[in-house]
Amino acid sequence: MKGMLERLRKDYGRKLVALHAWNGWIVVILALTGLLLVGGFWRGLLGEGRVWLKWLHIAVGIASILPVVYYLVLAGKHWKQLRQKPWQRFNVIVVLGLLLGWFGSGVLLWQFKAVGPRVSNAALTVHDLLTWIGLPYIIYHSLTRTKWLKEPARRSIKPEVRPAAAGKEEKPGAKQHQGPSSPQPVYTRRAFIRGAIGVGLAVTVGPTFLKWLGSSLGSIGGTNTVDRLLEENANRLVPNPVPQPASAQVVGGGAQGHFRVYTVTDIPSFSNENWSFTIDGLVNNKFKWGWEDFLKQERTVQVSDFHCVTGWSVYKNTWEGIPLRVLLKKAGVKPGAQTVKFYSGDGVYTDTLTLEQADMEDVMVAVMHDGKPIPSDLGGPVRLIVPKMYAYKSVKWLTRIELIEGEHVGYWEQRGYSNDAWVGLS
Ligand SMILES: Nc1nc2c(c(=O)[nH]1)N[C@H]1C(S)=C(S)[C@@H](COP(=O)(O)O)O[C@H]1N2
Ligand SMILES: [Mo]
């Protein structure tokens, strides 16, 4: 063991440089794949590619621990070397903290099913927070250390090793007049460039960071952005549904957390003219309702949590709608039917439940959230809610339910998501 450590530590300087380069590339890959994954914009474009990207991000993320562990083997010597350089020591601590934090929270996000939503939620917050702080830090760090900045830096630190100065008798006073290569202006230029990069990053990344911070803190405070989404509602369905008392009072006390708007298409918009709700396939009574017919149906109210596989949840949603089992009863499922297939009005997204799953009492065709219509961004006017399963089952803009024989593979399941969507520990 000792011999092995010795061997690992041999050639220490060259190895540190190589480690640093490896680490840099790993961070670049993780940053790019991570930002693509988080950007809602890419969902539809990437499709199946998104699932591959996620696996790449996870695999490289796991591999990222190797250079860290290797560094720790070399760290003792490096640390002593940095005795006189508190800022470099600070930098080492920050980068190690970032890498370990990203790694730990990343493993928890990867294992979302085993750890359950509460842990995933916390891990996602940590992962995001480290990204918003760490990425600008690392970009700043690497930009200010590229060669063109480093060379003058070296000269300014050690002016005595400049070949031009070497061997010459130093005449007092002569050094002050060496023009642009004298230490003072070089330092100023470096400081200026660093400052400019810092300001540039603050301006570009800052607003997104503040927005994220605002919404995370907002969700802790119990407010969320649903009201804002409702103001921007693209749907034009009249009249508005009249909430049941439990819904109007928001018996759940108001949703906690905020929805990330996920869609694989453009957000569709509906009006009384182009919206309808159909049940067909293997049923005795097919029907197709317009908006006013839909509103005539009896509705119930439930309070339930909503979990996405990517780590975020919204707790204590007060949903109002028609229980799916009631609709299926009304339609009269024929004996040959095995699968309930849900179609989105976006024309692309589908998902399924087995008949047995569809019979769970909290599966709901929802039309209101916290006493208000569901905004178009969140799947309104009518979306499916399957509280006991991850939210990719909760089809937005639900317009059709078909009873079929055999199986159908839903949109994300076709692209690698598990058919088993049960939420684990809660
Ligand atoms: N039509 C449609 N329904 C959908 C999706 C989608 O992209 N299109 N995404 C699913 C996923 S993965 C999640 S997490 C939730 C997100 O719901 P939200 O956008 O209201 O937050 O909707 C689900 N239903
Ligand atoms: Mo999701």
Side-chain angles (χ1 to χ4, degrees), residues 90-91 111 121 136 227 374 397:
F90 173 76
N91 184 58
Q111 292 299 329
N121 297 167
D227 284 342
I374 300 172
W397 311 294

Side-chain angles (χ1 to χ4, degrees), residues 43 262 307-310 312 349 390-392 412 417:
R43 295 205 136 230
Y262 281 177
H307 308 288
C308 172
V309 288
T310 58
W312 57 269
Y349 201 90
Y390 282 102
Y392 57 91
W412 279 121
Y417 278 36

Side-chain angles (χ1 to χ4, degrees), residues 260 262-264 308 312 344 346 349 378 383 391 394 396-397:
R260 297 190 179 189
Y262 281 177
T263 180
V264 296
C308 172
W312 57 269
S344 170
D346 65 15
Y349 201 90
L378 300 183
R383 78 175 297 169
S394 294
K396 295 163 71 166
W397 311 294

Side-chain angles (χ1 to χ4, degrees), residues 198-420:
V199 169
L201 278 175
V203 168
T204 48
V205 182
T208 325
F209 173 66
L210 288 180
K211 201 174 142 199
W212 173 81
L213 197 68
S215 53
S216 319
L217 294 182
S219 68
I220 293 164
T223 55
N224 55 44
T225 55
V226 177
D227 284 342
R228 192 180 49 77
L229 294 178
L230 205 52
E231 279 163 28
E232 296 162 6
N233 195 357
N235 291 331
R236 297 281 170 269
L237 288 141
V238 283
N240 274 339
V242 179
Q244 304 271 312
S247 202
Q249 293 158 26
V250 192
V251 281
Q256 294 170 12
H258 77 281
F259 293 92
R260 297 190 179 189
V261 176
Y262 281 177
T263 180
V264 296
T265 61
D266 288 339
I267 306 271
S269 60
F270 298 97
S271 62
N272 294 58
E273 283 70 51
N274 71 356
W275 188 85
S276 62
F277 186 85
T278 303
I279 296 195
D280 60 4
L282 298 172
V283 292
N284 296 318
N285 322 301
K286 297 180 185 173
F287 52 80
K288 181 171 182 171
W289 290 333
W291 178 241
E292 294 193 24
D293 305 320
F294 185 90
L295 290 185
K296 279 183 206 139
Q297 308 305 313
E298 198 182 321
R299 300 195 293 267
T300 63
V301 177
Q302 66 160 295
V303 178
S304 59
D305 301 336
F306 187 91
H307 308 288
C308 172
V309 288
T310 58
W312 57 269
S313 300
V314 182
Y315 296 91
K316 297 198 161 49
N317 302 283
T318 302
W319 298 109
E320 177 175 332
I322 310 168
L324 179 63
R325 64 200 304 193
V326 171
L327 282 173
L328 292 182
K329 199 161 196 175
K330 201 174 199 96
V333 178
K334 282 185 178 167
Q338 289 165 313
T339 302
V340 188
K341 179 175 174 187
F342 304 94
Y343 293 79
S344 170
D346 65 15
V348 172
Y349 201 90
T350 58
D351 215 318
T352 62
L353 293 173
T354 65
L355 271 180
E356 194 186 353
Q357 293 164 349
D359 198 43
M360 290 186 288
E361 61 174 352
D362 56 357
V363 180
M364 177 178 267
V365 175
V367 69
M368 303 193 90
H369 176 265
D370 282 1
K372 293 174 192 145
I374 300 172
S376 50
D377 277 9
L378 300 183
V382 166
R383 78 175 297 169
L384 186 68
I385 293 298
V386 188
K388 292 193 177 66
M389 294 190 180
Y390 282 102
Y392 57 91
K393 290 283 178 187
S394 294
V395 176
K396 295 163 71 166
W397 311 294
L398 181 68
T399 51
R400 179 179 172 205
I401 299 174
E402 186 189 19
L403 278 290
I404 60 171
E405 209 182 340
E407 283 178 22
H408 164 78
V409 185
Y411 181 92
W412 279 121
E413 289 89 337
Q414 272 175 40
R415 291 159 180 80
Y417 278 36
S418 172
N419 212 10
D420 168 12

